[in-house]
Amino acid sequence: MKITTLMDDQPSSLFKNEHGLSFYIQAHNTNILFDTGASSLYLENARKLSLPIEEVDTLIISHGHYDHTGGLSDFLKINKSAKIYMQKDALLPHYHDEKYIGIDPTLDLSSRVTFLSSSKKINDHLYLLSELSYPQDGMYEGEDHHLDPFLHEQSLIIDEEILIAGCAHNGIMHIINAFHDHFHHYPRLVIGGFHLRSKKDLEGCEELAYALKKTKATFYTGHCTSDEAYKKMKPIMNDQLHRFHIGESINH
């Protein structure tokens, strides 16, 4: 299995970057795209890496925020056959305070997307973990602007060993514990953003680092994991924690 980062927040001398996330995953003779960044820039990086987006078999949308779905319209123009999975609540309006951060409301996804309302086993190798709820201050959903329960978030599990999260709005430890509840063991590898950006998040990130360390998993993080959070967690987790960067691949 090979996971290549197509988009991340960190500047790169060789690739375009933006506040967004996208991974290209090659596993079991299947090409999987996980999220599409905030724009079409991930496509430029994919071309530079000779990773053909038109040959993607499966697209997973982790949740309904622009920095994970902004390149979706360009994907639909290039790729005409991939199966696309997202939770149905991803289409609801989403806000950070008063700012709209949801999926482009003019985008017609009805003919291409399989909308889910729970976790789903895609095949013998791929499983989508959802059905978690973890409301956060400042994040809102729906026309009535209610606190977002993040039921639209899902994580990808490969071979019951590898966990790939988008932003882990539901809390990375909560997601890992849900993985453990379902498969009765911890993941061997965890990749994704941990959503550690606010002052409150930073106050608890050392405690989180000790909890993650106990799972004995290897972690790769970026996107919404701030530099300050990473610097606090790295000395605790040592070789269990790494950053992913655009253009780099993780082989397992």
Side-chain angles (χ1 to χ4, degrees):
M1 188 208 68
K2 182 178 181 181
I3 301 176
T4 304
T5 304
L6 296 184
M7 185 51 63
D8 180 49
D9 299 44
Q10 292 289 318
S12 168
S13 60
L14 297 175
F15 300 97
K16 301 290 182 64
N17 75 290
E18 64 184 354
H19 176 64
L21 182 69
S22 181
F23 296 126
Y24 195 102
I25 305 165
Q26 296 159 292
H28 302 289
N29 297 315
T30 301
N31 298 319
I32 305 161
L33 187 66
F34 185 91
D35 287 343
T36 64
S39 71
S40 63
L41 289 181
Y42 77 102
L43 295 175
E44 295 184 38
N45 294 337
R47 282 192 288 270
K48 196 166 187 177
L49 290 162
S50 298
L51 294 173
I53 296 300
E54 62 274 13
E55 294 181 13
V56 166
D57 306 291
T58 302
L59 169 61
I60 307 297
I61 297 297
S62 66
H63 62 296
H65 287 174
Y66 78 96
D67 48 328
H68 299 257
T69 63
L72 186 51
S73 60
D74 297 282
F75 177 87
L76 296 173
K77 294 172 186 174
I78 294 171
N79 186 299
K80 303 297 183 181
S81 60
K83 294 180 179 179
I84 306 172
Y85 297 93
M86 74 171 69
Q87 294 293 317
K88 63 179 179 61
D89 285 354
L91 283 186
L92 292 173
H94 291 100
Y95 304 88
H96 183 198
D97 293 326
E98 297 300 322
K99 181 183 178 182
Y100 183 78
I101 59 170
I103 295 175
D104 179 357
T106 66
L107 196 58
D108 182 11
L109 301 174
S110 58
S111 63
R112 289 291 307 271
V113 177
T114 298
F115 292 103
L116 308 173
S117 57
S118 62
S119 299
K120 179 179 177 59
K121 180 179 180 180
I122 297 177
N123 55 39
D124 289 341
H125 302 288
L126 305 179
Y127 184 86
L128 293 174
L129 177 66
S130 188
E131 302 173 87
L132 302 176
S133 180
Y134 191 64
Q136 298 167 40
D137 292 341
M139 309 297 282
Y140 302 97
E141 176 185 81
E143 298 296 345
D144 61 349
H145 222 65
H146 61 264
L147 203 60
D148 191 345
F150 280 101
L151 291 171
H152 59 104
E153 186 173 60
Q154 60 185 359
S155 300
L156 174 63
I157 295 169
I158 303 174
D159 292 333
E160 301 182 10
E161 289 189 335
I162 297 164
L163 171 64
I164 302 175
C167 277
H169 284 283
N170 280 304
I172 191 61
M173 198 64 228
H174 289 137
I175 296 169
I176 290 171
N177 285 334
F179 179 109
H180 187 278
D181 289 344
H182 189 83
F183 296 106
H184 310 296
H185 61 84
Y186 286 116
R188 179 170 55 85
L189 176 66
V190 179
I191 303 169
F194 296 166
H195 209 265
L196 301 174
R197 302 174 68 185
S198 70
K199 182 178 179 181
K200 182 179 178 181
D201 293 333
L202 293 172
E203 289 172 353
C205 68
E206 285 151 326
E207 182 181 352
L208 172 63
Y210 282 112
L212 296 178
K213 184 180 178 71
K214 287 180 180 178
T215 68
K216 301 187 184 304
T218 299
F219 295 84
Y220 285 83
T221 192
H223 179 47
C224 55
T225 302
S226 69
D227 287 340
E228 190 174 353
Y230 184 83
K231 288 174 183 176
K232 285 188 173 186
M233 297 173 74
K234 180 65 173 177
I236 297 168
M237 299 181 68
N238 296 312
D239 288 343
Q240 282 181 254
L241 181 65
H242 309 274
R243 268 205 176 278
F244 53 71
H245 300 279
I246 302 171
E248 293 183 356
S249 298
I250 302 166
N251 294 280
H252 275 262

